[in-house]
């Protein structure tokens, strides 16, 4: 039974005055839907005091000021697709940004578009595409995630190897601070510190992102997609080195290990060969001459590294079919097991083969099936432990496996997160990753933005250990 705390009636009245009472949820059944995100879907639940849905920045300012007045924690929430328990919190007011969903016309001369925080990421892709432009960041969740959530987590995607992450496309931001005041920051207001850069990846701990102006780029004239299969993951990792040596920076260089390939095949999500140890999907882009040249260089490098076969898509339909295995992994996994713990660790990319071996041993040791897939070109790998959260002890075993994984990754000079963020899921580990000095500086920055500590507390920065 989930513990439901009653919200103070004055706070609820104030929130209702700000957004309209029908946009304030307080019933237990409604709150239950906001007690978890994609990470907690397989376990953790934290029931908020209330969920509020502002439609304008003015309403958002009122909501935040009201929470500040009542000294109640406030948590921004986009689509809840986050994998780090960042958009939940018991005893807090959750502010859902989904009604702030207006998207401007694309300015084709300036190559800019402005979106309110609740705009779905794929709407930005479609708008850019319709204007003959390109918005490269493409998290696997783009048909669901919000642009505000992407900025807050500095989301990456399959094409980040060449094009970078969300923050590389943020030109300006409108933010709402912990006291309810709004501020415009970014390159149009240049000359100061890069405060917009600080907000990117701040996971809702410094303020709300209410709107974002994004840079778009000219769409590449042509694209080639290749898929190669290998006997093992180390050969696939060797192919990355061979591609780099050939002087090509692919737009995407993704991979699946043998367990992920089996999941995709057994679920029928995509047509993939049997008995394969690893798979790479590579994409190159540019004008036709560059694309043809790079596709040939990548093909040779894949074969040189030991690829059994290399498929080369000649049109968008064939490309979609080659991508289906990679894009379908999450759906495939859901058909095998109803729950998972999915971690986005990074290791030096020449050590991905070693990581996969270690993940297999960790899975065996903790008795949880595992699979690995992700952004091979950046060594940013999604390690997934499969569980049935209804079975007592399974979530705990998967959490223990994740802890072993974090130990392993830190010992390999890697990183705890490539794109999903810290939230509460990795907050116990972050100090080991980035050091006590940086954490102390982050605490001081947080205090400057949020002196009362009400903005998404407990996320990203570990609580200070007080000596007695
Ligand atoms: C199937 C699947 C595939 C995924 N693939 C990728 C991937 O390829 N790359 C990747 O980077 N991530 C991926 N993710 C993780 C997730 O989609 C991203 O982190 C995404 O950016 C979260 O967006 P959201 O709108 O769902 O945010 P939420 O989950 O609602 O929130 C995430 C965090 O951002 C904060 N936040 C949300 N909106 C705002 C705002 N307006 N202002 C301030 N803070 C805010 C929240 O407080 C929370 O801390 C995937 C998730 C799933 C389920």
């Amino acid at each position: 039974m989930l513990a439901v705390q009653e919200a103070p009636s004055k706070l609820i009245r104030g929130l209702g005055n700000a957004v309209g009472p029908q946009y304030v949820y307080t019933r237990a059944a409604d709150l239950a839907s906001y007690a978890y995100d994609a990470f907690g879907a397989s376990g953790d639940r934290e029931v908020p005091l209330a969920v509020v849905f502002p439609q304008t920045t003015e309403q958002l300012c009122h909501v935040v000021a009201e929470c500040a007045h009542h000294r109640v924690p406030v948590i921004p929430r986009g689509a809840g697709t986050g994998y780090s328990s960042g958009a939940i919190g018991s005893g807090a007011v959750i502010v859902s940004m989904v009604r702030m969903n207006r998207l401007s016309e694309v300015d084709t001369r300036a190559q800019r578009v402005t979106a309110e925080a609740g705009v779905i990421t794929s709407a930005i892709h479609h708008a850019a595409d319709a204007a003959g432009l390109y918005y490269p960041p493409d998290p696997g969740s783009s048909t669901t995630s919000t642009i505000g959530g992407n900025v807050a987590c500095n989301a990456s995607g399959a094409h980040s190897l060449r094009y970078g992450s969300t923050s590389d496309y943020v030109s300006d931001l409108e933010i709402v601070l912990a006291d309810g005041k709004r501020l415009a920051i970014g390159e149009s207001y240049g000359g100061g510190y890069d405060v917009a850069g600080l907000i990117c990846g701040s996971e809702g701990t410094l303020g709300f992102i209410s709107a974002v102006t994004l840079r778009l780029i000219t769409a590449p004239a042509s694209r080639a997609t290749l898929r190669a299969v290998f006997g093992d993951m180390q050969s696939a990792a060797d192919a990355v080195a061979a591609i780099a040596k050939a002087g090509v920076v692919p737009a995407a260089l993704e991979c699946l290990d043998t367990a992920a390939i089996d999941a995709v095949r057994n679920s029928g999500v995509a047509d993939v060969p049997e008995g394969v140890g690893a798979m790479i999907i590579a994409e190159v882009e540019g004008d036709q001459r560059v694309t043809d040249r790079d596709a040939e260089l990548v093909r040779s490098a894949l074969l040189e590294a030991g690829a059994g076969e290399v498929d080369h898509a000649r049109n968008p339909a064939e490309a979609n079919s080659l991508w289906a295995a990679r894009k379908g992994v999450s759906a495939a996994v859901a058909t095998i097991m109803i729950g998972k713990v999915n971690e986005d660790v990074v290791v030096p990319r020449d050590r991905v083969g070693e990581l996969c071996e270690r993940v297999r041993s960790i899975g065996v040791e903790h008795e949880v099936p595992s699979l690995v897939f992700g952004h091979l070109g950046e060594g940013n790998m999604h390690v997934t432990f499969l569980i049935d959260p209804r079975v007592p002890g399974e979530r705990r075993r998967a959490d223990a496996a994740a802890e072993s994984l974090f130990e392993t990754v830190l010992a390999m000079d890697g990183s705890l997160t490539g794109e999903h963020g810290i939230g509460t899921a990795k907050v116990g580990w972050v100090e080991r990753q980035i050091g006590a000095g940086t954490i102390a500086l982050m605490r001081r920055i947080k205090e400057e933005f949020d002196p009362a500590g009400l903005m998404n507390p407990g996320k990203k920065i570990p609580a200070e250990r007080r000596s007695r």
Side-chain angles (χ1 to χ4, degrees):
M1 185 70 174
L2 293 171
V4 180
Q5 221 177 310
E6 202 168 321
S9 54
K10 275 191 180 164
L11 168 68
I12 297 306
R13 258 200 316 279
L15 295 174
N17 290 340
V19 297
Q22 70 275 36
Y23 294 114
V24 182
Y25 285 1
T26 52
R27 292 186 325 156
D30 293 327
L31 298 181
S33 308
Y34 294 85
Y36 58 94
D37 63 5
F39 180 79
S42 298
D44 301 341
R45 297 283 190 275
E46 290 193 27
V47 184
L49 274 185
V51 186
V52 191
F53 298 82
Q55 193 177 26
T56 63
T57 303
E58 290 71 28
Q59 290 185 356
L60 175 62
C61 292
H62 283 158
V63 165
V64 179
E66 193 66 30
C67 291
H69 176 71
H70 289 276
R71 300 186 78 76
V72 170
V74 64
I75 300 177
R77 183 169 171 112
T81 66
Y83 271 134
S84 64
S85 283
I88 63 167
S90 49
V93 169
I94 288 190
V95 181
S96 168
M97 303 299 284
V98 295
R99 289 179 69 230
M100 292 182 62
N101 57 8
R102 280 169 299 189
L103 184 60
S104 77
E105 292 282 315
V106 172
D107 181 340
T108 49
R109 276 168 66 90
Q111 301 200 324
R112 297 281 190 280
V113 68
T114 298
E116 286 185 333
V119 168
I120 302 297
T121 315
S122 58
I124 294 163
H125 292 139
H126 293 316
D129 203 32
L133 294 170
Y134 184 31
Y135 176 64
D138 58 343
S141 51
S142 8
T143 54
T144 323
S145 67
T146 64
I147 190 63
N150 291 173
V151 175
C153 297
N154 193 16
S156 294
H159 292 82
S160 293
L161 174 61
R162 173 154 176 180
Y163 294 105
S165 306
T166 303
S167 61
D168 295 305
Y169 296 86
V170 170
S171 146
D172 294 322
L173 291 177
E174 180 189 69
I175 59 172
V176 173
L177 297 169
D179 58 3
K181 295 207 174 74
R182 72 206 274 180
L183 210 59
I185 53 176
E187 68 182 23
S188 305
Y189 315 88
Y193 291 138
D194 181 9
V195 182
L198 190 57
I199 296 295
C200 294
S202 62
E203 300 180 33
T205 59
L206 300 180
F208 278 80
I209 297 143
S210 48
V212 48
T213 300
L214 296 162
R215 291 185 201 101
L216 306 175
I217 62 173
T218 303
S222 68
R223 179 172 286 150
T225 308
L226 297 95
R227 187 181 76 177
V229 292
F230 293 86
D232 56 45
M233 203 55 154
Q234 189 52 51
S235 308
D238 292 345
V240 177
I243 291 168
K245 196 167 153 221
V248 181
V249 181
L253 197 46
E254 300 283 296
C255 72
L256 289 79
D257 79 346
T258 188
I261 296 167
D262 285 349
V264 165
R265 190 185 38 260
N266 295 340
S267 66
V269 162
D271 196 13
V272 286
E274 271 184 58
V276 170
M279 178 184 285
I280 282 186
I281 291 121
E283 200 151 78
V284 292
E285 297 177 344
D287 66 32
Q288 193 64 55
R289 192 186 53 82
V290 169
T291 301
D292 289 348
R293 184 201 61 199
D294 285 356
E296 197 39 47
L297 287 169
V298 168
R299 205 178 79 84
S300 303
L302 292 166
L303 290 169
E304 187 194 312
E309 57 185 78
V310 180
D311 296 312
H312 184 160
R314 298 283 167 190
N315 56 50
E318 283 180 15
N320 284 342
S321 133
L322 295 189
W323 269 109
R326 170 65 183 88
K327 293 195 173 167
V329 183
S330 292
V333 165
T335 67
I336 302 176
M337 196 72 101
I338 66 164
K340 64 181 176 183
V341 169
N342 180 13
E343 304 294 356
D344 61 321
V345 294
V346 186
V347 293
R349 60 192 191 186
D350 58 317
R351 299 184 74 181
V352 167
E354 187 185 336
L355 175 75
C356 290
E357 285 303 317
R358 296 214 193 174
V359 167
R360 234 186 318 276
S361 310
I362 291 170
V364 169
E365 186 192 333
H366 294 279
E367 298 173 44
V368 279
S370 64
L371 52 88
V372 183
F373 60 98
H375 314 304
L376 179 62
E378 296 163 286
N380 177 354
M381 305 307 294
H382 298 314
V383 175
T384 304
F385 298 110
L386 304 178
I387 55 167
D388 181 342
R390 298 166 302 185
V391 176
E394 283 225 344
R395 173 75 202 214
R396 221 172 329 112
R397 283 207 306 280
D399 285 342
E403 304 256 308
S404 299
L405 172 69
F406 297 155
E407 263 322 332
T408 301
V409 165
L410 291 180
M412 291 174 76
D413 296 326
S415 170
L416 298 172
T417 176
E419 54 189 19
H420 294 163
I422 297 295
T424 53
K426 293 177 183 167
V427 77
W429 286 79
V430 67
E431 189 161 335
R432 276 184 61 187
Q433 166 92 57
I434 63 181
T438 307
I439 291 289
L441 181 58
M442 284 169 63
R443 285 199 184 106
R444 295 211 297 278
I445 292 169
K446 163 99 175 146
E447 194 155 327
E448 211 42 61
F449 273 84
D450 177 24
L454 298 176
M455 279 301 316
N456 211 359
K459 316 290 163 45
K460 199 156 182 92
I461 307 177
E464 208 158 359
R465 281 186 294 271
R466 305 213 176 266
S467 48
R468 312 179 73 203

